[in-house]
Amino acid sequence: MACQRGALIVLEGVDRAGKTTQCKMLVQALQKSGRPAEAMRFPDRTTTIGRLISAYLEKKSELEDHTVHLLFSANRWELVPTMKKKLEQGITLVVDRYAFSGAAFTSAKPGFSLEWCMKPDVGLPKPDLVMFLQLSPAEAALRGQFGVERYETRVFQNAVQQKFELLMKDSSVKWQVIDASKSVEEVHRDITGHSLNAINIAEDIPLGQLWT
Ligand code: ADP
Ligand code: 2DT
C-alpha cells in the first residue's frame, strides 16, 4: 500500500512576525515526534531564478514589477516536482512564505490588482493549512528595526497587511490566524496543535490545487 502523504503547511505574516523562528521549531518538533518533516522557504534564493530575485531584494539589481512578480511565481513552480515527490513520500513540508506573499506584496504596489497577482500561482499545490502570524506594526517594531532589503518599510508593510486581509477572506484556502504577539513557546504550541490536526486530515485526502 502507498504510504500516506505528508501535509503542506505554510506560514505567512508580515516582517518580524516570527515565521522563520516558528518554521524551524515546528520542523524540529515534528521530527522529534517521529513525523518526517522538512523546511522550505520562498523565495528559494539558491536556484538560478532565486539568485535573480535575491539580487533584486538586496537592491543590487532593478527588475520591472510584473517581471519580478512572475519570477517569484516561477521560483515556486520550479520547486513543484520536488515538493510533490516529498509529499508523496509522506514528508510534511513546512513552508516559510508561499503564493500569498506573492499576491500580497505585488498587489501592494500601485497599479496591480490582487486578481492579476494571483493568476500565475493558480494550480500550485494547495496548502493543507496556512497559518497567518498576526502582529501589529507597534509590536513588530519592538522586535527590532526594519532590515535594508526592498519592501522593508512601515508604509509598504501596512499595505501588504491589508492585502493579506483580503486574501484571508477566501474560504477555498484553510486559513488559521495565529496571535504572534505571545511568547515564542506559546506561539509554537498553537502552531503545533493546528499542524498536527492538518497532518492527520491530509493523510486521507488528495493534494489540492491552489485557487482553482
Ligand atoms: P520573520 O521570519 O517573520 O521575519 P523571525 O522569526 O526572523 O521573523 O523573527 C524576527 C525577530 O523577532 C527575531 O529577532 C526573533 O528572535 C524575534 N521573535 C520571534 N518570535 C518572537 C516572539 N514570539 N516574541 C518575541 N520575539 C520574537
Ligand atoms: P524573506 O526572504 O526575508 O522572507 O523576504 N516576496 C516573497 C514577494 O514579493 N513575492 C513572493 O512571492 C515572495 C515569496 C516578501 C522575501 C521578501 O520577498 C517578498 C519579502
Side-chain angles (χ1 to χ4, degrees), residues 6-40:
L8 179 56
I9 296 173
V10 170
L11 269 73
E12 287 279 9
V14 291
D15 205 40
R16 290 164 299 170
K19 299 179 295 298
T20 306
T21 307
Q22 294 297 334
C23 279
K24 268 194 207 133
M25 288 176 79
L26 178 58
V27 169
Q28 280 168 5
L30 292 175
Q31 288 174 345
K32 219 171 143 192
S33 69
R35 294 172 180 87
E38 289 183 19
M40 291 185 76

Side-chain angles (χ1 to χ4, degrees), residues 13-22 41 96-97 133 143-144 180-185 187:
V14 291
D15 205 40
R16 290 164 299 170
K19 299 179 295 298
T20 306
T21 307
Q22 294 297 334
R41 68 179 308 140
D96 188 342
R97 295 193 190 276
L133 275 59
R143 294 187 183 174
S181 69
K182 295 189 199 169
S183 73
V184 171
E185 278 305 327
V187 177

Side-chain angles (χ1 to χ4, degrees), residues 3-182:
C3 76
Q4 286 161 322
R5 76 169 173 95
L8 179 56
I9 296 173
V10 170
L11 269 73
E12 287 279 9
V14 291
D15 205 40
R16 290 164 299 170
K19 299 179 295 298
T20 306
T21 307
Q22 294 297 334
C23 279
K24 268 194 207 133
M25 288 176 79
L26 178 58
V27 169
Q28 280 168 5
L30 292 175
Q31 288 174 345
K32 219 171 143 192
S33 69
R35 294 172 180 87
E38 289 183 19
M40 291 185 76
R41 68 179 308 140
F42 289 110
D44 177 338
R45 302 188 192 214
T46 66
T47 69
T48 303
I49 294 170
R51 280 190 288 277
L52 290 174
I53 295 171
S54 190
Y56 171 81
L57 289 171
E58 292 170 26
K59 300 179 189 163
K60 290 180 180 159
S61 71
E62 291 300 321
L63 286 168
E64 192 276 331
D65 287 327
H66 299 78
T67 310
V68 74
H69 182 72
L70 296 173
L71 286 177
F72 273 112
S73 178
N75 183 232
R76 284 182 279 281
W77 281 107
E78 68 178 331
L79 269 300
V80 166
T82 309
M83 291 171 75
K84 284 190 169 166
K85 200 165 153 201
K86 286 182 187 287
L87 292 168
E88 277 163 20
Q89 287 169 345
I91 300 168
T92 285
L93 297 177
V94 176
V95 187
D96 188 342
R97 295 193 190 276
Y98 198 51
F100 313 99
S101 276
F105 275 74
T106 305
S107 68
K109 295 180 177 181
F112 283 86
S113 72
L114 193 57
E115 197 192 4
W116 185 87
C117 294
M118 290 162 78
K119 288 248 162 78
D121 288 312
V122 168
L124 277 178
K126 180 176 170 173
D128 296 291
L129 174 65
V130 188
M131 286 176 279
F132 184 79
L133 275 59
Q134 184 85 266
L135 192 70
S136 70
E139 283 164 319
L142 295 175
R143 294 187 183 174
Q145 303 291 313
F146 281 115
V148 293
E149 288 207 334
R150 215 178 278 268
Y151 306 144
E152 293 181 336
T153 67
R154 170 171 270 220
V155 172
F156 195 73
Q157 293 283 322
N158 286 348
V160 170
Q161 166 79 27
Q162 287 173 17
K163 299 299 179 180
F164 272 126
E165 278 163 20
L166 288 178
L167 287 167
M168 281 190 269
K169 290 187 202 289
D170 170 15
S171 59
S172 77
V173 173
K174 186 160 171 40
W175 287 96
Q176 182 67 54
V177 177
I178 302 289
D179 179 357
S181 69
K182 295 189 199 169

